[in-house]
Amino acid sequence: AQSVTQPDIHITVSEGASLELRCNYSYGATPYLFWYVQSPGQGLQLLLKYFSGDTLVQGIKGFEAEFKRSQSSFNLRKPSVHWSDAAEYFCAVASGTASKLTFGTGTRLQVTL
Amino acid sequence: TAGITQAPTSQILAAGRSMTLRCTQDMRHNAMYWYRQDLGLGLRLIHYSNTAGTTGKGEVPDGYSVSRANTDDFPLTLASAVPSQTSVYFCASSDSFRVGSNEQFFGPGTRLTVL
């Protein structure tokens, strides 16, 4: 069965600092990988996704993620964090076009000014 | 475009009572999903539907039922609510038949408290 691990429950960074959120997955074949963001009291919004091809994926709001098959990882990065990036971030994996997503437990990002 | 709407926004329900959470999408997506979100557990799939007329069980289906009479609506019913069903419920949809894309779009959620 597929699974996703987000080892960091809570991360605090200063505004303007770089950010990396970790995500490790377990899946036998090539996975479909996603990062979603959830602002307080809101639903989830897709930041970026990986299906195939270039392992460095660009998303919205200046985020990017890199798929590393050898490490079973799909870490999310941003070079300079803004206070508005404070939110909860979820990594998810899907098995092909079956499209059922398995989510990680999330990482809550706090941004200090 | 409205996308996905959910109703109610929040609800307090007495244990043992029944309730239906409503979900409607206007994107003509074939697939729809119900998740519950609990602190420290992320989102867990309750039920899903790949097309109108079909449904399937997710990771945590017990105590919940769904129906998919048409493409747009996917209600979730709690027949006899229990306190452990206190959660935030999210409905989602996707165009899963489109090759190479199974992005799910989420509704704003329903916060349910069972006392």
Side-chain angles (χ1 to χ4, degrees), chain A residues 9 32-34 36 38 41-47 49-51 88 90 94-106 108, chain B residues 31 33 35 37 39-45 48 50 57-58 90 94 96-109 111:
Chain A
I9 297 173
Y32 287 43
L33 294 160
F34 304 80
Y36 282 85
Q38 183 182 31
Q42 304 296 313
L44 278 72
Q45 179 184 22
L46 181 71
L47 282 176
K49 59 189 176 186
Y50 171 80
F51 290 137
E88 186 142 23
F90 292 95
S95 54
T97 55
S99 78
K100 284 187 287 182
L101 290 179
T102 298
F103 284 87
T105 52
R108 180 165 298 278
Chain B
Y33 315 84
Y35 295 89
Q37 182 178 25
L39 193 64
L41 298 177
L43 281 84
R44 293 178 292 168
L45 183 65
Y48 67 95
N50 284 330
K57 294 182 179 180
F90 287 100
S94 72
S96 68
F97 288 161
R98 188 156 66 94
V99 175
S101 174
N102 55 357
E103 171 187 351
Q104 293 188 16
F105 295 82
F106 284 80
R111 181 175 296 275

Side-chain angles (χ1 to χ4, degrees), chain A residues 15-33:
Chain A
E15 188 174 42
S18 64
L19 172 71
E20 182 169 30
L21 302 182
R22 295 183 290 166
C23 172
N24 293 96
Y25 68 90
S26 173
Y27 181 64
T30 300
Y32 287 43
L33 294 160

